[in-house]
Amino acid sequence: MITVTLPDGSTKQVENGAPVRAVAEAISPRLADAAIVADVDGKLVDLTYPLTHDARVRIVTNKNPEALEVYRHSTAHLLAAAVTALFPNVQCGIGPPLEDGFYYDFIVERPFVPEDLEAIEKKMKELASQDYIYERQMWPRQEAIDFFKKRGEPLKVQLIEEKTAGQKEVSVYTIKDRDVFVDFCVGPHVPSTSRLKAFKLTSTSNAYWKGDAKNAPMQRVYGTAFFSQKELDEHLARIEEARKRDHRKLGKELDLFQMHPVAPGAAFWTPRGTTLYNTLVAFCQERQKAAFQEIKTPLLYTKTLWETSGHWGKYRENMFLVLNTETNDHDMSLKPMNCPSHHLYFGTARRSYRELPLRYVTFDPLHRNELSGALAGLTRVRQFSQDDCHVYLREDQIASEVKFLMDFILGHYEAFGMKASIKFATRPEQRIGDDAMWDRAEAGLKSALEATGMPYTINAGDGAFYGPKIDFDVTDALGRSWQLGTIQLDYAAPERFDLTYVGEDNAEHRPVVIHRAVSGSLERFIAILIEHFAGAFPLWLAPVQAIVLPIADRHLEYAREVAAELDRAGLRVEVDDRSEKVNYKIREAQLMKIPYMLVVGDKEISDRAVAVRSQKKGDLGPRPLAQFVTDALAEVRAKALS
């Protein structure tokens, strides 16, 4: 008999060789019906996995977070089974689960069209209804290679040869049997196709085998899957809402920014967009003016700086290199980040322990050589600015500084009605510095993080190449997560740049550096804000805060007086002086998402008033002009979200 230890510490006895499903059945028939896969000694396995030694077992149902990834992986196999049934000459690539769905790549004779997706999805539902078993089989390696060669699937042959070198057997999964569908895969998978209840194919795109344009062109089919139709419907509704809120669409409609092919990855900010951009920068500057020092540094440096920082060896492919006409060599670069220039500036003067922590912040433009295919509106650009800060401090100040910076960062997101979750990222494979330095840095930052009492998760291997970091994932109005802020602890830079301060003992000491960003790039943050607010910004942030709408030409003079009064008060205002009906003007202002529309006619002139209409709340009725100004200024000062 085998002894199985359950998560609550209790044990069960099962026969040697019994499938792990037997454990679920021994607990309760209900659990056995709900089981999807199992965790055996920390490894996810199919329910048919044989237990041959004492083990810790956890039954995974749709209530466990890892279950959805398995569910989507199995749905990707179902997609491939449907495609191979409908298109016999297809070659299958790979089909992994994604954060919000799955995809599968195929080599096909012609691109898929919408009617193909409908037919494929119909076939998937047909296969799901047949309750076909997902079965893992171990085949001799050469048998698997020969099988897929004969089947006309050279991509599978290539994967097997690359990923199973030295193995005698390889893992494959069938749906029902090898004639219905078989794939080279390590699993695990759901027990049968009938478990796949709610899925939807969403789109197709062009792809290349292994992502390399030199390889075979492929068609990628995207889909998503959830445990219930209700969850699927809610997800599809969010996708549709996200499509309406797309910052590229709204950016054009609201006249905020433009992109041009002669400047790929760099935005042209319109007058309204520039106002939005500058308002956000001013907000950041106002919050930082008491505790931070803003500086400006050069944009172009010789490679000497980047060699000192380590970027020339680790990051050069992402930098825009500049030809030095004196040396006739690309030995200069536009700066892709502010860190080295801040370190350089810190080192230009003799620093005292009394100055620390010393916080430098910069809004300079940065340039990174992103691949053209990766550029996407404002979320992935080549030219951008960051609300970028570097803190120089003593080692004994780390805990208090991390607490201060975390409060500062979280307060920034709260101003926009967004919450954040926290991740602690540890050393990556590619890094500078020895293990002793990393041990010290990770221990110091983790201790400071834990001292705040904030919950966090571990993101192993995702640290910066010079140090561990705390990352902030921000959730927007649609429930989407964006990685924005970061706090990165760096022991390497002070050594590389020979940074020192004079301590209380009158001796020189190494400072510690903390890299801090709040918004990430301002461009990306504005894209997120456009979608978060659906373009309807709160009053304090809106590029145009009010528009005055005269009913007729005879009301135009008073409309301009109203606008002048608002302008003197510091509000951003326009007058719609077109010879159009007022209802048309209101509709246009609504589409431009201007927070307040002020209609003026004969009565408003005689009462020295405005008829107020809110973009969000509709008609608010007449109000004395002075009262509207007072109320609007109070709303701006409060940074009210609505």
Side-chain angles (χ1 to χ4, degrees):
M1 300 295 289
I2 296 294
T3 300
V4 169
T5 303
L6 302 175
D8 63 0
S10 64
T11 60
K12 295 284 184 184
Q13 298 287 317
V14 296
E15 291 185 6
N16 191 332
V20 72
R21 179 188 284 109
V23 177
E25 292 169 345
I27 297 171
S28 78
R30 193 171 185 177
L31 180 62
D33 289 340
I36 294 175
V37 291
D39 180 322
V40 177
D41 290 335
K43 178 184 177 182
L44 288 182
V45 299
D46 301 309
L47 296 179
T48 55
Y49 179 84
L51 295 166
T52 58
H53 56 81
D54 294 349
R56 302 187 68 87
V57 174
R58 178 172 59 91
I59 303 301
V60 176
T61 70
N62 62 11
K63 295 180 180 179
N64 300 105
E66 60 266 65
L68 188 55
E69 184 174 309
V70 173
Y71 186 85
R72 287 171 171 167
H73 188 190
S74 297
T75 311
H77 274 230
L78 186 69
L79 161 63
V83 170
T84 54
L86 295 173
F87 302 89
N89 295 325
V90 73
Q91 289 185 42
C92 294
I94 60 172
L98 301 172
E99 186 176 348
D100 59 354
F102 58 88
Y103 72 80
Y104 210 112
D105 288 341
F106 304 95
I107 294 179
V108 289
E109 295 176 344
R110 60 167 177 78
F112 290 126
V113 296
E115 291 77 15
D116 293 330
L117 289 195
E118 293 177 11
I120 294 167
E121 192 173 303
K122 182 179 178 181
K123 186 65 176 179
M124 290 172 68
K125 291 177 180 177
E126 177 189 321
L127 294 172
S129 69
Q130 298 299 315
D131 195 25
Y132 290 145
I133 300 297
Y134 282 81
E135 182 182 6
R136 187 187 193 204
Q137 299 177 4
M138 299 302 297
W139 292 3
R141 185 172 183 270
Q142 191 58 50
E143 179 184 321
I145 291 172
D146 293 341
F147 174 84
F148 284 107
K149 277 183 180 177
K150 185 177 180 180
R151 192 181 172 96
E153 299 227 39
L155 303 184
K156 294 297 179 184
V157 173
Q158 184 180 345
L159 286 176
I160 293 171
E161 289 177 339
E162 291 176 351
K163 294 181 178 296
T164 67
Q167 296 181 21
K168 293 182 179 179
E169 293 184 316
V170 299
S171 171
V172 300
Y173 274 83
T174 61
I175 294 180
K176 185 188 177 188
D177 54 43
R178 64 176 67 185
D179 293 325
V180 172
F181 183 69
V182 61
D183 203 353
F184 166 57
C185 179
V186 296
H189 284 285
V190 299
S192 71
T193 59
S194 64
R195 292 296 191 94
L196 308 176
K197 305 283 188 185
F199 49 81
K200 178 71 178 175
L201 300 184
T202 54
S203 64
T204 63
S205 71
N206 295 323
Y208 293 97
W209 176 236
K210 295 186 175 182
D212 189 338
K214 297 177 182 177
N215 291 335
M218 308 187 79
Q219 279 280 287
R220 177 167 295 176
V221 179
Y222 287 99
T224 191
F226 288 87
F227 290 118
S228 71
Q229 190 63 40
K230 180 176 180 291
E231 291 173 300
L232 175 61
D233 291 343
E234 289 172 350
H235 174 76
L236 295 176
R238 284 194 297 271
I239 289 177
E240 181 58 32
E241 181 61 24
R243 190 175 289 115
K244 294 177 185 176
R245 293 177 180 233
D246 190 316
H247 75 279
R248 292 164 293 190
K249 173 177 176 289
L250 288 177
K252 183 177 181 179
E253 292 175 357
L254 302 181
D255 190 26
L256 298 176
F257 69 92
Q258 301 170 4
M259 309 302 284
H260 198 284
V262 300
F268 285 80
W269 294 96
T270 67
R272 288 185 176 184
T274 300
T275 298
L276 172 64
Y277 195 102
N278 290 341
T279 302
L280 180 61
V281 171
F283 172 70
C284 297
Q285 290 173 321
E286 178 66 24
R287 294 189 74 232
Q288 294 179 145
K289 69 179 182 181
F292 299 78
Q293 298 182 37
E294 183 175 343
I295 64 174
K296 293 185 74 63
T297 62
L299 305 184
L300 182 65
Y301 297 88
T302 66
K303 71 177 181 180
T304 303
L305 178 70
W306 308 115
E307 286 174 335
T308 301
S309 68
H311 289 94
W312 198 257
K314 301 282 185 180
Y315 199 76
R316 183 169 41 177
E317 67 274 10
N318 300 110
M319 298 163 65
F320 278 105
L321 304 185
V322 178
L323 179 67
N324 184 337
T325 55
E326 293 184 1
T327 64
N328 200 33
D329 189 15
H330 288 86
D331 58 4
M332 306 179 76
S333 171
L334 292 170
K335 65 178 179 181
M337 65 275 295
N338 291 304
C339 335
S341 58
H342 284 185
H343 305 332
L344 205 62
Y345 179 70
F346 179 91
T348 59
R350 186 175 171 86
R351 308 294 179 182
S352 166
Y353 72 95
R354 291 189 176 91
E355 297 178 75
L356 309 183
L358 189 55
R359 307 179 184 101
Y360 294 138
V361 64
T362 293
F363 294 92
D364 292 340
L366 302 173
H367 293 83
R368 294 183 186 173
N369 191 13
E370 301 283 358
L371 295 173
S372 59
L375 300 177
L378 298 177
T379 58
R380 184 63 70 90
V381 290
R382 287 175 171 166
Q383 177 183 295
F384 60 96
S385 296
Q386 292 181 315
D387 52 348
D388 201 5
C389 170
H390 295 89
V391 186
Y392 302 85
L393 68 162
R394 304 189 310 268
E395 195 163 18
D396 64 292
Q397 295 174 315
I398 291 174
S400 60
E401 186 65 17
V402 168
K403 175 68 166 64
F404 167 76
L405 293 175
M406 286 185 66
D407 289 343
F408 185 91
I409 291 170
L410 294 172
H412 182 87
Y413 304 142
E414 288 172 4
F416 301 97
M418 297 189 288
K419 300 294 184 183
S421 59
I422 298 168
K423 295 184 297 191
F424 178 65
T426 59
R427 68 193 74 183
E429 287 189 16
Q430 293 292 322
R431 57 184 183 268
I432 58 177
D434 57 23
D435 286 344
M437 184 206 79
W438 276 90
D439 290 342
R440 185 178 168 203
E442 287 180 348
L445 189 59
K446 188 175 182 182
S447 175
L449 174 56
E450 290 179 343
T452 68
M454 297 287 292
Y456 68 92
T457 57
I458 298 289
N459 192 9
D462 198 48
F465 73 86
Y466 49 75
K469 59 179 180 166
I470 299 168
D471 286 331
F472 296 79
D473 285 355
V474 176
T475 303
D476 68 10
L478 294 180
R480 298 172 302 181
S481 182
W482 304 87
Q483 199 279 303
L484 293 180
T486 188
I487 296 172
Q488 304 175 358
L489 192 61
D490 187 352
Y491 282 92
E495 293 288 342
R496 283 177 165 267
F497 283 84
D498 193 24
L499 304 181
T500 61
Y501 68 91
V502 178
E504 196 171 4
D505 58 0
N506 211 33
E508 289 192 341
H509 301 270
R510 285 270 184 255
V512 181
V513 172
I514 290 180
H515 306 246
R516 183 234 66 181
V518 182
S519 302
S521 82
L522 296 178
E523 282 74 5
R524 185 164 175 262
F525 191 64
I526 288 174
I528 293 167
L529 290 180
I530 292 171
E531 298 186 7
H532 177 63
F533 291 115
F537 300 107
L539 185 65
W540 71 270
L541 189 59
V544 179
Q545 295 169 318
I547 187 166
V548 188
L549 309 176
I551 294 175
D553 288 347
R554 67 180 182 275
H555 308 125
L556 186 55
E557 182 179 350
Y558 178 64
R560 288 175 176 151
E561 288 180 27
V562 169
E565 184 74 18
L566 268 62
D567 182 65
R568 282 192 293 272
L571 294 168
R572 298 185 288 272
V573 60
E574 292 181 353
V575 176
D576 188 341
D577 57 4
R578 296 175 298 170
S579 297
E580 301 284 356
K581 292 183 178 180
V582 73
N583 284 340
Y584 177 82
K585 295 179 180 181
I586 290 172
R587 188 164 59 252
E588 289 276 294
Q590 282 283 149
L591 291 174
M592 293 303 293
K593 302 185 187 291
I594 297 172
Y596 287 113
M597 290 144 272
L598 309 179
V599 180
V600 295
D602 293 336
K603 187 170 184 354
E604 286 73 31
I605 293 174
S606 64
D607 294 343
R608 191 74 185 169
V610 289
V612 183
R613 185 175 185 85
S614 164
Q615 196 269 338
K616 294 180 179 177
K617 299 178 181 178
D619 188 6
L620 301 181
R623 192 175 302 178
L625 175 58
Q627 184 62 52
F628 173 79
V629 171
T630 299
D631 292 346
L633 289 176
E635 188 176 335
V636 169
R637 282 192 298 271
K639 300 289 190 292
L641 294 175
S642 61

